[in-house]
Amino acid sequence: MPAWAPLVRTYPHFDPLLTGEKAASIALDPQAVAAHTFYPFIKYDERWTLFAEAGEPGRPKERPIRYAARLDACIFSYYRHMLSEPYERRLEAEGLTETVLAYRRVRASTGKGGKSNIDFAKEAFQYAQALGDCCAISLDISSFFESLDHQRLKSLWASLLGLERLPPDHFAVYKAMTRYAYVEKLEAYERLGFYGKKVGPGGRSVMGFLVDPRAIPVQLCKGEQFRTRIAGGDGSGSIIKLNRTPHGVPQGAPLSDLLANLYLLDFDMQMKALAESVGGRYLRYSDDILFVAPVTAEHATRLEAEARGAISRFGDALVIKEKKSFIHEFAADGMGQIVATIKPEGSNKGLEYLGFRYDGRNAYIRDKTLSALHRKIVASCRAVSIHLERRYRSKSPQEIIALYNFEALYQRFGAVDAFKDKQTEYRNWTFWTYAKKAIRTFGPLGAPMTHQVSRLRRQIRKRLASEVARACARR
């Protein structure tokens, strides 16, 4: 396993910037960690709209993200490093190294580099192809990180260390990860004068940033300001919140992903044995579960019910909702497979897994991924059009478009949602990196993806031309 080195973040938080050497000197000292006072996490909600069929409104969804202060994040990172080695040994001992896929490096068959979501999806679809007549059962654990039982987690943590009780330093980290404190990001910014009411368009009072967000200091406030304005020492009341429930770890902390995997170790063992008992495979990628097995639709329905019932034995907050359970039946024919959706009734899109869709013959980039990208295209084109109109006030829309470098816009789109929070080395992949890698990896199986991608480039050009014309019309 590679040696650990601290990565000191420079995002705005409550603690001062520190050197890597200083962070390491504390993180590697058990006594210092045991005595360390952790700052509250800063929380924001990641919002997006779920994919919906044409003409139907998309349902909004939120994911709470909590990020730690710089030194705290380094401590969490080091303890993740320490726990990774015994966890990997357990996976190897139980034959789970090719079963638990997220938040860890799964080596490619060539021995060079690691596998990504793309490889895992391709292998799952090819496995279904090889079986011919089979069923795929895909399940989703609801609010996974928020549902981990603290007492069970503590017991598993100690067991991984080969101990009955956690040592003081590990216990301090465990407390910081379970009975965690946090503040809402905009609420903290408002208390510190970076965010609040201001005069908006038409003279209306609106909430917004009072300073350029890029000018917000790396250390949000000194210790005295933290005590008075954040903790409420000035009589304004504390805005620090505490997780008082017996469940949950903060999604976004460097240690949370490993703890989530560790928590389901026994469940993974049971589900792998269940799948193998009927000649199939079990895979888990964070909260996404997949069974592929040569069974009938009736047998697959029983397996799905058994898996949903089994998860509840690992914590009363862990739930696989029936409405998030899908069963697809594949039947071999001369050109590949015919797929039928057994559950839910009335849907026949094919098997969706890790950002891709398989219809029995070909693999596609999932509609949800393309829909999310389309929303980014609209927002980006609108912002670019306003900038271009202001820059070229004397030029026509056609002249502005002729001057614009579209490659800059193509590369503008950020990380693909399918990779967020699940495998750190792929977080910075843009959609184009993702699409090119998928086309190359899937080969003939993913032939339709080339058409999907080329169509998007045309959509970007057309959308920007439309937005520039609208911006110029408002002159």
Side-chain angles (χ1 to χ4, degrees), residues 238-301:
S238 174
I239 60 171
I240 300 172
K241 299 170 184 173
L242 193 65
N243 178 34
R244 299 183 185 278
T245 74
H247 308 105
V249 295
Q251 188 164 359
L255 180 55
S256 296
D257 55 2
L258 185 136
L259 295 180
N261 266 348
L262 171 63
Y263 189 89
L264 286 185
L265 182 61
D266 292 336
F267 175 79
D268 291 331
M269 291 164 56
Q270 290 183 19
M271 293 302 101
K272 179 175 181 286
L274 177 63
E276 290 177 348
S277 71
V278 292
R281 285 191 69 187
Y282 159 78
L283 302 168
R284 182 175 64 80
Y285 194 101
S286 186
D287 51 3
D288 292 324
I289 292 171
L290 180 68
F291 292 87
V292 183
V295 296
T296 63
E298 183 180 0
H299 196 166
T301 302

Side-chain angles (χ1 to χ4, degrees), residues 2 123 206 218 244 246 253 260 288 301 349 412 417 441 469-470 472:
E123 289 171 4
V206 297
V218 172
R244 299 183 185 278
D288 292 324
T301 302
K349 293 181 182 178
R412 189 171 183 152
D417 288 341
T441 301
R470 288 177 59 188
C472 291

Side-chain angles (χ1 to χ4, degrees), residues 122-178:
K122 178 192 175 186
E123 289 171 4
F125 297 161
Q126 286 182 326
Y127 184 70
Q129 278 186 320
L131 288 177
D133 296 340
C134 63
C135 282
I137 306 161
S138 47
L139 311 169
D140 180 271
I141 305 172
S142 298
S143 303
F144 182 31
F145 283 74
E146 290 81 14
S147 302
L148 308 185
D149 179 83
H150 293 165
Q151 290 303 311
R152 174 176 170 77
L153 181 61
K154 183 167 68 171
S155 175
L156 288 166
W157 191 330
S159 175
L160 193 65
L161 297 173
L163 302 170
E164 291 187 4
R165 299 182 62 180
L166 291 177
D169 57 321
H170 283 264
F171 185 67
V173 176
Y174 161 79
K175 282 197 303 180
M177 288 293 298
T178 53

Side-chain angles (χ1 to χ4, degrees), residues 334-346:
M335 298 179 65
Q337 291 169 297
I338 298 171
V339 60
T341 303
I342 306 304
K343 182 179 182 179
E345 295 180 356

Side-chain angles (χ1 to χ4, degrees), residues 327-385:
I327 301 175
H328 296 89
E329 184 177 34
F330 293 92
D333 72 352
M335 298 179 65
Q337 291 169 297
I338 298 171
V339 60
T341 303
I342 306 304
K343 182 179 182 179
E345 295 180 356
S347 172
N348 202 27
K349 293 181 182 178
L351 170 63
E352 293 189 344
Y353 186 56
L354 301 183
F356 297 93
R357 176 171 59 87
Y358 174 59
D359 68 357
R361 285 169 169 70
N362 293 107
Y364 304 78
I365 298 171
R366 193 171 57 163
D367 292 340
K368 177 182 174 181
T369 304
L370 296 175
S371 175
L373 181 71
H374 181 71
R375 289 194 296 274
K376 291 180 181 179
I377 289 171
V378 172
S380 291
C381 288
R382 193 160 293 161
V384 168
S385 69

Side-chain angles (χ1 to χ4, degrees), residues 14 40-43 181-185 188 230 239-241:
F14 297 123
F41 288 85
I42 293 180
K43 172 185 173 285
Y182 67 95
V183 298
E184 299 285 347
K185 181 177 180 178
I230 303 299
I239 60 171
I240 300 172
K241 299 170 184 173

